Amino acid sequence: MIAVETILVAFAMFSALPVPQPVWNERNMRYSLCAFPLIGAVCGGAWWAWSAICAWLLVPDLLRGAGFCLLPVLLTGGIHLDGFADTCDALASCASPEKKQEILKDPRCGAFAVIRLCGYFTAYLALCTALRPDRQAVWCMGLAFILERGLSGLAVSRFPLAKNTGLAHTFATAADRKTVGRILLTLCLLTGGGMVAAGGLTGAVMLAAGLFIFWRYRVTADRQFGGISGDLAGWFLQRAELWMLAALVACQLVREVLP
């Protein structure tokens, strides 16, 4: 029962799927971060299903790409995009870490957030349209959805927090951080290995892209904000997803050019 509640806590918070809303308590939140990657598995499954539907109905490339672009947003309710937008506003301010934290709390959407979101979706849609959704690509991207959430949860369990309030602090303080960190690190290693096994060089390049963004996440959080927060976690997740998708499409394009 506790295992089910633990999964429901993760899905109720980080997805838009209609699941029962358990009352949060010490027991069902202790390992809820470990269930976070399951939402990535759902996104990967949705990509697989949409790919199969498009192949069956001979859906045009642009419409197929739009579906790939929108599915993660529909399934998560855009919760990570909210953090991405807030963080973009804060980073564009070039202010002190304290002022950046104030900007993150501001519910209003600034001009730089709108500009970055427009650029993000333009790039994501273009990449999804250019993607050739063969078995290798769908498997690698499905694992990428899992990996980015595993890394995000790992960061919450291991990285310093910027403040003693907020979503990241709530999950970090409720978690058994050592055990959660070990479980998520193991999951990330297995998922990364799975990407390489499924995609060969393509999977390895995607993994390298995801790890690079993870490293930049830690550096930016420490230097610009004094630690991580829920908004920064969303910013990382969206960037990791875009970069791994870009790596996948780039590898496909290179294979088509080279003899």
Side-chain angles (χ1 to χ4, degrees):
M1 186 63 179
I2 290 300
V4 174
E5 286 190 10
T6 297
I7 294 172
L8 289 177
V9 166
F11 273 81
M13 184 66 244
F14 299 111
S15 83
L17 298 175
V19 299
Q21 303 283 324
V23 177
W24 291 8
N25 57 52
E26 181 181 350
R27 295 178 66 197
N28 60 31
M29 289 192 67
R30 184 173 299 168
Y31 302 109
S32 57
L33 285 173
C34 298
F36 185 27
L38 292 177
I39 300 167
V42 173
C43 292
W47 261 51
W48 175 86
W50 179 242
S51 175
I53 291 171
C54 290
W56 180 47
L57 297 177
L58 300 177
V59 172
D61 291 349
L62 183 58
L63 181 57
R64 182 189 66 204
F68 284 141
C69 181
L70 291 174
L71 278 171
V73 181
L74 295 175
L75 291 171
T76 62
I79 184 173
H80 309 301
L81 283 167
D82 176 70
F84 174 82
D86 289 342
T87 303
C88 287
D89 264 341
L91 288 172
S93 71
C94 298
S96 65
E98 293 76 17
K99 180 62 177 177
K100 288 188 175 74
Q101 288 292 343
E102 293 180 14
I103 294 173
L104 291 180
K105 296 178 185 177
D106 192 336
R108 295 170 297 180
C109 188
F112 287 104
V114 175
I115 293 168
R116 298 292 192 277
L117 282 171
C118 289
Y120 181 91
F121 276 110
T122 299
Y124 204 112
L125 176 59
L127 290 169
C128 287
T129 302
L131 177 70
R132 187 176 68 254
D134 54 25
R135 182 185 298 264
Q136 181 191 73
V138 174
W139 264 105
C140 285
M141 199 60 206
L143 291 170
F145 286 122
I146 298 172
L147 177 64
E148 66 196 21
R149 286 164 174 80
L151 291 173
S152 182
L154 180 63
V156 172
S157 69
R158 293 296 176 92
F159 290 178
L161 299 173
K163 54 185 180 179
N164 295 325
T165 58
L167 187 61
H169 179 264
T170 299
F171 276 85
T173 53
D176 180 345
R177 297 181 72 171
K178 287 186 178 180
T179 303
V180 167
R182 290 170 185 162
I183 292 172
L184 288 176
L185 178 59
T186 302
L187 175 67
C188 290
L189 291 173
L190 291 173
T191 306
M195 289 175 67
V196 175
L201 180 60
T202 297
V205 174
M206 292 176 66
L207 176 60
L211 293 177
F212 172 74
I213 296 301
F214 188 61
W215 171 74
R216 285 297 305 164
Y217 172 36
R218 175 62 188 270
V219 172
T220 302
D222 286 348
R223 291 181 181 176
Q224 303 282 350
F225 296 90
I228 69 168
S229 65
D231 285 323
L232 282 163
W235 175 75
F236 155 72
L237 193 144
Q238 295 296 159
R239 280 166 50 86
E241 191 170 306
L242 182 65
W243 275 63
M244 286 190 283
L245 175 60
L248 171 58
V249 173
C251 287
Q252 287 188 336
L253 293 175
V254 169
R255 284 203 306 269
E256 291 178 0
V257 171
L258 294 179

